């Protein structure tokens, strides 16, 4: 069955959104719309919202039953969405949060039931993959409920992921998506690119009058839980302007939630001064109120004060509503100086541990200064940028609904410029910053079908395999490891290359570990480059533990050459070819237990 709709899904760390557009008979889609998503907002109460909070609440036995029923499902033992987010205030040990960030956390088994992290024994746990599957299952079910004659499995679907996701995290996302019911040919798209596609959709053909060859755009996407950075440059091909993604940043666990929590701590202190102690339920309400206060006070023409009220809940704490006035100046100072401090382009984020003992969990950034993280990213590309800074900044994510953050960030970046003649400018994405990624994903899908504008980019890192050196064994000392480049930076999806290198011994017939590395600071390494020393230039990904079968070999290894493939959805496959025995083995970044 041919697709009737193009669907873009923003699987967000904090909120998920679905955008779609119908496909006409001539193949051209119409105006992009948002899918209303039915969800529990309280036990037994269902309402439709345009976003699904990415929270999962694991109900107690007494809570399970019809109160968690959905139009498409009965007898569930959990809830996702608004109700799950609200229950997190009173039962944080039963609430799964930031499953998306756990997908790229290498220090845990992401298929193991580890969430909620460090939950009590009586609480059932789920894996990051399963939680992601449940979020997508809810979105897909909501779609199928609204479109029974055009099921999601039959549509043209684009699913977004952070630009910083490595191949393992992408593969786990793909696995969750297929388990939830997305079509096998769905496409993965980086979130900052999706934000830029939303801007292109807004501009139409006018974008060519705003951008010229050599200009650069920093896409700064700050959502609830993460900061994602991407650099795009304008180039020319056959006399036509094209856009090329040239660099991506790291997966930074700092975002709007940090800011709202900082504001909530500040305001809770104000309540305490009035003799009001807040319980957990009121604290989560305060958190949401502080988000609204942040967006209101930091607007360009925002008021001088904003009232924050907390409803009473029980006679021992508050009998009625208590309110305080938060001043624009004090909140701006707290958030702007704390999260967007003035800094030099040579400044680095502070990563020194406060203690030699640390709780195992998500690798949240110890330095909340977003501008220092951006300085680190921009300084890596400084020699390739006019005046050492990008020409434009595209803001995306709910944080930037407060214009004060946009203005401060532009001011800091402009201070880095090597010349006063050129000022960094903002190019406005859709004003609907919460939904731009989903809309942009849908617009990308439209362009993919119609042959419209596509951002060039390919893979965002160079990839390497670890090769153990031959040599005499020394007790207590492993043989030196070399790193062979098998995928160059920018290799396009849907392409393959032969890696020019000597034959390598591939161990077969016994359990082994294959080590993989990536780099976003060595874009010039070509396939076949062999590194003997790399210090901090390479970052090691998860090893692949497997046993390769070899039916026709008498030896315990095969002499192979490498062929690298990047699939249409951006997955990296390394094929090991043994010409002598006409055999080949495929290694994927899929951390599966068995590879043949």
């Amino acid at each position: 069955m041919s697709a009737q709709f193009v669907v873009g899904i923003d699987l967000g760390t904090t909120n998920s959104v679905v955008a779609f557009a119908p496909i006409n008979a001539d193949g051209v889609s119409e105006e992009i719309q948002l899918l209303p998503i039915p969800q529990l907002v309280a036990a037994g109460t269902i309402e439709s919202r345009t976003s699904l909070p990415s929270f999962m609440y694991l109900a107690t036995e007494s809570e399970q039953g019809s109160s968690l029923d959905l139009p498409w499902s009965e007898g569930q033992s959990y809830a996702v969405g608004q109700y799950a987010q609200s229950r997190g205030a009173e039962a944080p040990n039963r609430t799964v949060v930031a499953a998306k960030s756990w997908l790229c956390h290498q220090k845990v088994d992401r298929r193991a039931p580890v969430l909620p992290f460090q939950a009590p024994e009586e609480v059932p746990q789920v894996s990051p993959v399963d939680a992601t599957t449940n979020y997508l299952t809810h979105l897909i079910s909501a779609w199928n409920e609204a479109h029974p004659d055009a099921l999601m499995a039959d549509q043209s679907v684009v699913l977004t992921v952070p630009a910083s996701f490595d191949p393992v995290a992408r593969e786990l996302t793909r696995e969750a998506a297929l388990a939830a019911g997305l079509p096998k040919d769905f496409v993965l798209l980086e979130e900052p690119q999706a934000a830029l596609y939303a801007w292109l959709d807004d501009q139409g053909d006018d974008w060519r009058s705003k951008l010229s060859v050599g200009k650069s755009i920093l896409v700064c996407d700050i959502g609830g839980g993460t900061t994602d950075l991407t650099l795009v440059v304008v180039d020319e091909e056959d006399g036509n302007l094209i856009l090329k993604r040239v660099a991506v940043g790291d997966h930074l666990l700092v975002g709007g939630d940090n800011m709202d929590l900082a504001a909530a701590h500040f305001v809770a202190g104000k309540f305490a001064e009035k003799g009001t102690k807040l319980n957990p339920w009121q604290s989560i309400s305060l958190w949401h109120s502080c988000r609204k206060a942040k967006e209101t006070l930091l607007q360009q023409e925002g008021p001088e004060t904003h009232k924050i009220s907390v409803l009473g809940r029980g006679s021992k704490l508050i009998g009625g509503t208590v309110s305080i006035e938060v001043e624009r100046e004090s909140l701006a100072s707290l958030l702007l100086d704390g999260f967007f401090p003035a800094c030099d382009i040579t400044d680095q984020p502070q990563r020194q541990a406060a203690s030699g003992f640390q709780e195992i969990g998500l690798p949240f950034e110890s330095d909340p200064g977003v501008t220092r993280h951006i300085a680190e990213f921009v300084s890596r590309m400084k020699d390739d940028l006019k005046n050492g800074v990008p020409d434009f900044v595209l803001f995306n994510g709910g944080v930037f609904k407060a214009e004060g953050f946009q203005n401060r960030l532009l001011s800091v970046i402009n201070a880095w410029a090597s010349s006063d003649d050129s000022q960094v400018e903002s190019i406005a994405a859709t004003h609907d910053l919460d939904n731009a990624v989903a809309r942009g994903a849908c617009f990308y899908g439209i362009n993919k079908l119609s042959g419209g504008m596509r951002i060039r980019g390919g893979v965002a890192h160079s990839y390497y395999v670890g090769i153990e050196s031959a040599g005499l064994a020394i007790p207590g000392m492993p043989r030196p490891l070399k790193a062979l480049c098998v995928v160059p930076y920018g290799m396009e999806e849907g392409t393959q290359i032969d890696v020019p290198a000597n034959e390598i011994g591939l161990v077969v017939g016994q359990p082994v570990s294959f080590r993989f590395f990536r780099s976003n600071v060595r874009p010039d390494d070509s396939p076949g480059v062999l590194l003997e020393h790399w210090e901090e230039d390479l970052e090691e990904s998860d090893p692949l533990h497997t046993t390769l079968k070899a039916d026709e070999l008498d030896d315990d290894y095969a002499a192979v050459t490498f062929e690298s493939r990047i699939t249409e959805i951006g997955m990296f496959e390394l094929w090991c070819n043994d010409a002598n025995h006409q055999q080949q083995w495929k290694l994927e970044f899929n951390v599966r237990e068995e590879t043949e």
Side-chain angles (χ1 to χ4, degrees), residues 422-470:
S422 178
Q423 289 291 296
V424 180
E425 301 177 25
S426 167
I427 53 174
T430 172
H431 293 295
D432 189 10
L433 292 172
D434 288 327
N435 304 313
V437 168
R439 291 181 178 276
C442 185
F443 184 65
Y444 168 84
I446 294 171
N447 284 358
K448 191 171 185 291
L449 290 178
S450 64
M453 161 59 66
R454 303 269 296 274
I455 300 170
R456 309 287 180 84
V459 296
H461 302 81
S462 304
Y463 290 100
Y464 308 76
V465 294
I467 308 294
E468 183 179 313
S469 302

Side-chain angles (χ1 to χ4, degrees), residues 73-87:
S73 178
E74 297 180 353
Q76 289 198 143
S77 60
Y78 65 89
V80 301
Q82 184 63 55
Y83 180 55
Q85 184 180 33
S86 300
R87 289 292 288 137

Side-chain angles (χ1 to χ4, degrees), residues 225-281:
T226 59
T227 293
D228 214 0
L229 306 172
T230 287
L231 185 67
V232 176
V233 299
V234 184
D235 207 344
E236 187 176 18
E237 186 176 274
D238 299 329
N240 297 314
L241 293 180
I242 61 172
L243 298 175
K244 297 175 65 175
R245 191 264 285 118
V246 297
V248 300
D250 298 325
H251 191 68
L252 303 175
L253 293 184
V254 59
D257 290 345
N258 303 66
M259 302 175 196
D260 300 334
L261 184 59
H265 276 295
F266 172 74
V267 175
K270 296 291 186 181
F271 276 111
E273 291 175 2
K274 299 182 66 172
T276 300
K277 180 181 178 181
L278 305 181
N279 68 8
W281 182 86

Side-chain angles (χ1 to χ4, degrees), residues 288-550:
H288 293 308
S289 297
C290 286
R291 178 181 299 118
K292 179 63 175 177
K294 174 191 69 180
E295 295 168 359
T296 301
L297 291 172
L298 297 185
Q299 292 294 338
Q300 191 71 38
E301 302 296 333
E304 292 301 318
T305 62
H306 180 82
K307 180 184 290 187
I308 292 182
S309 301
V310 173
L311 297 177
R313 186 178 172 91
S315 59
K316 292 184 179 180
L317 290 172
I318 305 177
T321 299
V322 176
S323 302
I324 63 170
E325 293 285 341
V326 178
E327 297 177 350
R328 171 189 175 97
E329 184 177 352
S330 59
L331 187 65
S333 177
L334 172 73
L335 299 182
L336 291 174
D337 295 340
F339 292 93
F340 294 90
C343 67
D344 192 80
I345 195 171
T346 58
D347 287 349
Q348 299 284 309
Q350 300 299 314
R351 295 191 172 95
Q352 184 173 357
S355 170
F357 295 106
Q358 294 188 340
E359 186 178 50
I360 296 174
L362 282 176
F364 293 106
E365 297 300 324
S366 56
D367 188 344
V370 173
T371 43
R372 285 188 285 270
H373 292 284
I374 296 175
E376 183 179 47
F377 175 71
V378 172
S379 64
R380 291 205 302 258
M381 309 300 298
K382 188 175 181 180
D383 293 340
D384 300 317
L385 296 171
K386 179 182 177 182
N387 292 320
V389 293
D391 297 289
F392 301 97
V393 176
L394 174 65
F395 296 107
N396 190 63
V399 164
F400 289 117
K401 288 190 291 187
E403 294 178 6
F405 293 136
Q406 297 188 29
N407 297 334
R408 169 61 70 89
L409 183 53
L410 282 176
S411 174
V412 172
I413 295 178
N414 272 310
W416 300 339
S418 59
S419 171
D420 294 332
D421 297 335
S422 178
Q423 289 291 296
V424 180
E425 301 177 25
S426 167
I427 53 174
T430 172
H431 293 295
D432 189 10
L433 292 172
D434 288 327
N435 304 313
V437 168
R439 291 181 178 276
C442 185
F443 184 65
Y444 168 84
I446 294 171
N447 284 358
K448 191 171 185 291
L449 290 178
S450 64
M453 161 59 66
R454 303 269 296 274
I455 300 170
R456 309 287 180 84
V459 296
H461 302 81
S462 304
Y463 290 100
Y464 308 76
V465 294
I467 308 294
E468 183 179 313
S469 302
L472 299 174
I474 301 175
M477 182 178 295
R479 290 190 176 96
L481 194 71
K482 300 179 181 179
L484 177 69
C485 180
V486 291
V487 172
Y489 175 86
M491 183 173 171
E492 295 284 347
E493 290 83 358
T495 63
Q496 61 189 55
I497 56 171
D498 292 321
V499 179
N502 296 328
E503 290 184 334
I504 301 295
L506 176 69
V507 178
V508 296
Q510 58 181 289
V512 289
S513 295
F514 297 94
R515 296 176 65 181
F516 296 93
F517 303 82
R518 67 174 185 167
S519 175
N520 60 3
V521 297
R522 299 184 63 93
D524 298 326
D525 283 352
S526 58
V529 168
L530 189 65
L531 305 179
E532 297 189 11
H533 307 284
W534 55 83
E535 297 180 351
E536 298 180 356
D537 285 358
L538 306 189
E539 176 187 356
E540 187 164 5
S541 299
D542 282 352
L544 173 62
H545 307 288
T546 188
T547 300
L548 299 180
K549 299 178 181 179

Side-chain angles (χ1 to χ4, degrees), residues 11 103 136 159 161 165 169-177 188:
L11 182 63
L103 277 182
L136 286 169
L159 176 66
V161 293
F165 260 23
R170 289 174 187 244
E171 166 61 24
L172 294 172
T173 303
R174 185 183 75 91
E175 179 181 310
L188 290 176

